[in-house]
Amino acid sequence: MDNNRQTQQPPPATLPANARLPINHCNLPAVILGSLTYQQHPVPLELDGIRHFHADLFRTLAPIAQHTARAQAFQDYVSAHFLLDHLDEAGLGKGKTKKKRINANYLRMARGWSFDSDGREGAILKRWVESRFGLLARHHAGPLQGRNSEAYQHYVAEGTRGLYATNALEAQLDLLYTYCQYELLQAHPEETHLSLYRGINRIDEHEILETLGGGRYRVLFNNLNSFTSSRERADEFGDYILIAEVPLPKIFFFNRLLPGMLKGEDEFVVVGGVYEVSISTL
């Protein structure tokens, strides 16, 4: 036996146990995809079975060169697959279901998030992230201190009520994420990360895991967060700018993905976990 050979140990988990679930519906467990190592060395994330189940969509998209034409093809496919223009055929006839539930779809969720990420749509999207990626929400209209807390139970109830009796809403969100990943690959074929920004007033608005010095920190983000690709836009929302190198697989959707999707200019909605970030005053 070579005494000079050192046993290679896996890096310690950087995602706290109370920020993750033991199972998810993704090709990587939460302890990995939510870790600092994943931010530094990302690999593609795939939701269970989605690309295979919707293979016809991606065969349709493959020969289309223009982003706007692909976006229209995607929206047409989703409308047809989920009967969004024929909700009575989907079993959501009037009198059976409240109007808000009948009209709940992936676009309304995205727009609701942009209007108020702590509203019902925000709760639905954060619950979706918990289910698909196994990352627990840390904040919703206030800190979520433990899964047995009153705040967390209210958040769960709001998200559950928002999903109840909707038209396969979680499946629509699965397809939205998968399409977003397809489009990001078309736009950034040689890149693994995007530099994204948030305007903040204090770094302690976030959960700091480690202070590295030189304006760098390791933080635990909420399981879903808004960023912008515009540094100037971020500067309008705080005295400091938080800069994160975000892995492309952690981008759920962004405002230019579909026409009129979000009201926020250059907004990106990003799955959380542990990130190393820097703070700038410029």
Side-chain angles (χ1 to χ4, degrees), residues 166-237:
T166 58
N167 184 17
L169 184 53
E170 288 182 302
Q172 294 181 42
L173 297 175
D174 291 342
L175 194 52
L176 174 63
Y177 170 79
T178 305
Y179 172 67
C180 177
Q181 291 302 304
Y182 180 89
E183 283 299 312
L184 287 170
L185 183 61
Q186 308 310 306
H188 308 280
E190 304 298 326
E191 298 177 62
T192 59
H193 296 75
L194 289 182
S195 296
L196 298 178
Y197 310 93
R198 284 171 65 96
I200 64 172
N201 291 313
R202 303 183 313 277
I203 184 58
D204 59 10
E205 295 172 359
H206 299 82
E207 292 186 62
I208 302 172
L209 301 180
E210 188 176 354
T211 301
L212 303 175
R216 298 195 66 81
Y217 301 85
R218 290 175 179 171
V219 301
L220 173 58
F221 282 126
N222 202 6
N223 71 344
L224 200 60
N225 313 267
S226 285
F227 284 81
T228 177
S229 59
S230 169
R231 190 183 181 108
E232 292 75 18
R233 179 69 172 163
D235 192 43
E236 298 174 10
F237 292 91

Side-chain angles (χ1 to χ4, degrees), residues 64-166:
I64 302 176
Q66 292 186 332
H67 165 73
T68 53
R70 290 195 301 269
Q72 186 60 58
F74 171 77
Q75 290 181 287
D76 291 344
Y77 177 90
V78 176
S79 293
H81 185 83
F82 294 100
L83 300 172
L84 297 185
D85 297 324
H86 304 281
L87 293 175
D88 55 333
E89 296 180 23
L92 294 173
K94 293 181 180 179
K96 296 180 180 180
T97 310
K98 290 184 178 181
K99 184 176 180 180
K100 285 185 178 179
R101 289 174 182 161
I102 289 175
N103 292 324
N105 60 48
Y106 70 107
L107 286 173
R108 286 181 179 269
M109 295 303 105
R111 291 165 182 159
W113 168 274
S114 186
F115 179 75
D116 180 10
S117 62
D118 285 329
R120 173 166 290 191
E121 291 84 358
I124 291 170
L125 295 180
K126 292 169 190 173
R127 291 287 288 162
W128 178 85
V129 172
E130 290 188 345
S131 168
R132 272 42 181 178
F133 298 107
L135 300 177
L136 291 169
R138 311 295 294 173
H139 187 283
H140 185 77
L144 301 177
Q145 302 294 339
R147 300 190 69 191
N148 295 321
S149 69
E150 182 177 346
Y152 189 81
Q153 293 303 314
H154 173 75
Y155 150 70
V156 169
E158 188 171 37
T160 302
R161 284 195 298 268
L163 284 169
Y164 175 71
T166 58

Side-chain angles (χ1 to χ4, degrees), residues 225-274:
N225 313 267
S226 285
F227 284 81
T228 177
S229 59
S230 169
R231 190 183 181 108
E232 292 75 18
R233 179 69 172 163
D235 192 43
E236 298 174 10
F237 292 91
D239 297 327
Y240 302 92
I241 296 176
L242 183 150
I243 307 164
E245 295 300 314
V246 175
L248 294 182
K250 282 199 166 182
I251 297 173
F252 184 3
F253 55 88
F254 55 98
N255 75 321
R256 297 184 184 180
L257 181 62
L258 297 171
M261 185 169 191
L262 297 174
K263 67 175 184 178
E265 183 180 354
D266 298 314
E267 183 176 0
F268 284 73
V269 179
V270 171
V271 174
V274 179

